[in-house]
Amino acid sequence: MKKILTIQDISCVGKCSVTAALPIISALGIETCIVPTALLSTHTQFDGFTFRDLSDEMAKILEHWKTQNFHFDAIYTGYLGSESLINLAIEFISAFKEENTKIIVDPAMADAGQLYAGLPAGLEAKMKKLCGCADIILPNISEASLMLDEPYPGEDAGKEEIEALLNKLSSLGAKSSVITGVDFGDGTLGFAGRAEDGSFFSYGAEKINMSSHGTGDVFAATFTGSLVRGASEFEALKIATDFTSACIKNSYNDPDHVSYAVNFEAEIPYLLKRAGII
Ligand code: PXL
């Protein structure tokens, strides 16, 4: 069985990070190993959340794992709440990256041009370094502009602005750079990317007029799982886009949906069909 290591927080309530990655990657038939970076009572969009940094425990986990013969098909990092957590993620990558291990970095740290509540100012500089270790990076528009020290162009950034960001992102060192949450202005929303050879690619699915949390994590987990299952990078990105759009639509149509995340659980049967499993 293929195996993915994901390095991100456990938010006890929030349906993001590990609590999205585990069910989605497992549903795709892939073993999911986790390194929890922090324990939060909820994700950081709630008032009064608690945060326990697990750096000390991570260092011990790393030392133990170095005595074991573990192999991962991909290492996927998400939200990392401090510089020391980013350093530790880099240490895990250097310890476990083999020739065919795909490294996926979602620099989950910002939205609407602003760092998430509770994150230290300047975290983007460190996140750039982590992006340099990746095969594929998945920032949204806010994260891309923060890491590049460019003005935030807004969620309605046009093709030229997005391509200029993608060209600059490629200098961070990842093979492919993919900006998520791109509004194509024609009723579709999706991703725009730049491949290693400098070519651009993009794809959008139905845009649902609802702002939702945790969609970046659903997207990144679905992409990583689909890639490890054997889809091409572009196909895996398309599966992730279609599934994320379906999750948002499901929440939009559900009068009882929670405000802090999307109904991804209800769309797992669709994911299995879209990924060609059933
Ligand atoms: O979904 C990204 C995310 C992950 N983890 C934590 C968060 C957020 C977004 O707010 O707060 C703890």
Side-chain angles (χ1 to χ4, degrees):
M1 189 176 276
K2 302 263 190 181
K3 201 182 282 188
I4 292 173
L5 165 61
T6 187
I7 306 176
Q8 40 186 340
D9 64 276
I10 299 178
S11 288
C12 299
V13 172
K15 301 209 280 183
C16 63
S17 313
V18 163
T19 57
L22 258 170
I24 291 171
I25 297 171
S26 298
L28 289 168
I30 297 162
E31 178 179 343
T32 318
C33 302
I34 63 166
V35 171
T37 54
L39 181 65
L40 293 88
S41 52
T42 61
H43 69 42
T44 61
Q45 316 280 318
F46 288 78
D47 286 335
F49 62 87
T50 68
F51 182 97
R52 165 74 67 105
D53 180 297
L54 297 176
S55 299
D56 292 351
E57 209 54 41
M58 280 173 75
K60 288 192 232 162
I61 293 169
L62 179 58
E63 285 320 302
H64 176 228
W65 282 14
K66 282 181 180 167
T67 69
Q68 308 294 311
N69 195 22
F70 291 151
H71 300 278
F72 302 107
D73 296 284
I75 302 175
Y76 148 45
T77 70
Y79 178 96
L80 296 161
S82 70
E83 291 198 4
S84 88
L85 292 171
I86 297 179
N87 281 335
L88 279 156
I90 293 172
E91 282 187 46
F92 271 90
I93 291 171
S94 14
F96 291 101
K97 182 174 167 52
E98 297 171 75
E99 203 185 329
N100 294 320
T101 314
K102 293 267 183 225
I103 308 296
I104 291 104
V105 171
D106 176 6
M109 61 181 167
D111 217 346
Q114 305 274 340
L115 277 183
Y116 291 137
L119 287 180
L123 192 71
E124 58 271 24
K126 202 84 215 176
M127 200 56 104
K128 274 164 82 164
K129 200 173 157 216
L130 177 60
C131 286
C133 307
D135 292 298
I136 301 141
I137 57 172
L138 302 170
N140 61 24
I141 297 172
S142 304
E143 291 148 359
S145 45
L146 274 172
M147 286 195 293
L148 297 169
D149 207 11
E150 291 284 326
Y152 169 59
E155 293 306 301
D156 56 355
K159 187 169 187 278
E160 275 175 28
E161 285 166 306
I162 296 288
E163 290 186 352
L165 285 175
L166 285 169
N167 280 332
K168 290 185 181 133
L169 280 174
S170 68
S171 68
L172 301 185
K175 293 188 187 118
S176 308
S177 303
V178 176
I179 299 182
T180 60
V182 175
D183 188 337
F184 294 104
D186 60 355
T188 66
L189 189 106
F191 64 84
R194 183 187 186 277
E196 208 174 0
D197 65 4
S199 59
F200 294 111
F201 53 88
S202 63
Y203 174 76
E206 185 185 358
K207 179 185 170 190
I208 318 294
N209 270 322
M210 185 176 97
S211 75
S212 13
H213 299 301
T215 49
D217 298 1
V218 168
F219 181 91
T222 310
F223 166 68
T224 307
S226 302
L227 187 71
V228 166
R229 270 183 56 73
S232 69
E233 198 175 301
F234 188 52
E235 181 58 20
L237 287 164
K238 288 201 292 184
I239 295 170
T241 305
D242 289 342
F243 178 54
T244 308
S245 172
C247 296
I248 301 171
K249 194 170 184 173
N250 188 298
S251 304
Y252 182 77
N253 291 328
D254 172 9
D256 293 329
H257 79 265
V258 294
S259 59
Y260 55 80
V262 289
N263 284 356
F264 72 79
E265 302 88 339
E267 291 296 332
I268 297 273
Y270 166 71
L271 173 62
L272 301 187
K273 283 187 210 129
R274 180 65 184 82
I277 296 173
I278 55 170

